[in-house]
Amino acid sequence: MLNIIQVVRRFGVNGGMERYVWELSHALADLDVQVHILCEQPDQDTNHKNITVHCLKRVFPKPRWLAMLRFSSNVSSWIKNNANSNWVIHSHERTTVHHVSTFHGPPFAYVYSKPWWKRASIRVVMWLYLERRELCASQVKAILPNSDLIYDDLSKLYPCVRKRLLSPAYPGVSKPIFTSKKESDKKVVLFIGKEWKRKGLEKAEKIVKNLRQNDASVEFWVIGPEKDAIEYLFKDWNSGFKLLGWQDASKFMSLASLLLHPARSEPYGMAIAEATNYGIPVVISNQCGVASQISNRSGSVLDVGDSIDEWANSCLTELSRKDPVLGIGKSWRELAQQHIEIYRKL
């Protein structure tokens, strides 16, 4: 039996990377892989017979670079004292003992394109050190970007890792939970994401306001951000919106007509792939990692800098779509099978 260590600070579904690890670990376990989770805290309990959770000492979360350095040190100590030499160590964090690394976000090395005074800090120096160590250390055998966008970024910023850089390991999609569509005259536009500034909520609000000027049946439902943090964006709205906070977005898929995601930076965009599998068209920016998988059969991809009118016109096109939406993305089981092939080679 394969023994795999998955390293993640929080083991659960509260976040894109965390959910990726949760789903991948359970899919691996379903395929008879023995999975060891090395984390600081589990946010959800699991009772899978092939998953063992090992909790490390929690470190103070601020500053983040120092917390990551301390977490990495705790991981190294645990591995030294507990891991078998033939176990594969797969990290989703900035560690120093892993054989496989999944890269979930935009590389920090983009800071080199900024003026020198924005790089002159201990924080920047340490994050660059942690990132280079994660990618370039001698024991690293495979690097898995989670999108084509991240693959291209790493190839450009870290030429030294091209030989160990493998094809993207796209996040899986869960089987849609279909409920009967409620008959309604409303056209519900969804926005999903906790990190709402990076994901483009401010622009999305302007786009939907533009749509409502011509069609009052359009409503804007926002899932993810805390209501108090974003209420000011809607001070001019009298109706036509719902600020739903952090919830399971699948509960709202059967009511949605469109997913809008004009992100400035989105390493992948799991909510986008899942929306298409519910038959919901998407309008997204070209800064989403999933954009390379979106064709006109699934929705529209716009330049992040396109005007509000251009975005609104694309939304109108998708809201009036008659053809069925092509779902994208593989299952978590297929993602696990991709990983098993890599682990066996190691």
Side-chain angles (χ1 to χ4, degrees), residues 128-336:
L128 287 171
Y129 162 74
L130 288 166
E131 183 169 277
R132 176 165 287 277
R133 188 184 68 173
E134 175 191 358
L135 296 168
C136 303
S138 59
Q139 87 285 345
V140 180
K141 305 302 179 187
I143 298 168
L144 299 170
N146 77 337
S147 72
D148 297 289
L149 195 63
I150 300 301
Y151 181 97
D152 292 341
D153 287 345
L154 292 177
S155 296
K156 179 171 64 175
L157 293 167
Y158 290 98
C160 58
V161 305
R162 287 175 184 166
K163 289 184 179 180
R164 61 182 78 167
L165 191 59
L166 305 186
S167 299
Y170 305 122
V173 290
S174 300
K175 186 177 180 181
I177 306 170
F178 285 109
T179 56
S180 58
K181 278 269 187 183
K182 292 184 179 179
E183 293 298 325
S184 174
D185 294 330
K186 295 178 182 177
K187 299 171 184 174
V188 175
V189 178
L190 283 184
F191 175 93
I192 301 172
K194 274 187 176 181
E195 297 178 48
W196 55 274
K197 290 185 178 180
R198 175 173 61 80
K199 294 175 186 284
L201 177 58
E202 291 164 302
K203 186 163 189 171
E205 181 270 333
K206 293 182 176 68
I207 294 165
V208 181
K209 185 184 289 185
N210 182 301
L211 292 171
R212 283 179 53 81
Q213 289 175 356
N214 298 309
D215 188 348
S217 69
V218 174
E219 292 200 358
F220 192 30
W221 295 6
V222 180
I223 300 171
E226 293 298 327
K227 182 178 178 180
D228 293 346
I230 61 171
E231 275 184 314
Y232 76 94
L233 293 173
F234 298 85
K235 61 184 179 183
D236 297 331
W237 293 54
N238 296 317
S239 61
F241 71 99
K242 291 183 181 181
L243 307 182
L244 299 164
W246 181 250
Q247 298 195 45
D248 180 1
S250 65
K251 297 188 297 185
F252 303 94
M253 292 294 187
S254 65
L255 303 173
S257 304
L258 176 71
L259 179 78
L260 177 60
H261 204 83
R264 299 198 305 262
S265 173
E266 181 63 275
Y268 186 72
M270 291 168 63
I272 299 166
E274 291 190 341
T276 66
N277 279 275
Y278 276 89
I280 301 167
V282 299
V283 177
I284 69 172
S285 80
N286 60 352
Q287 296 306 303
C288 298
V290 73
S292 60
Q293 296 173 264
I294 299 293
S295 70
N296 58 11
R297 297 179 63 191
S298 303
S300 302
V301 178
L302 282 78
D303 189 283
V304 70
D306 284 346
S307 69
I308 299 299
D309 285 342
E310 289 173 294
W311 278 85
N313 287 335
S314 288
C315 289
L316 284 173
T317 298
E318 298 302 335
L319 285 168
S320 59
R321 169 189 286 269
K322 302 300 182 187
D323 297 333
V325 171
L326 175 66
I328 65 170
K330 297 180 179 179
S331 68
W332 291 106
R333 184 182 181 89
E334 289 173 300
L335 180 69

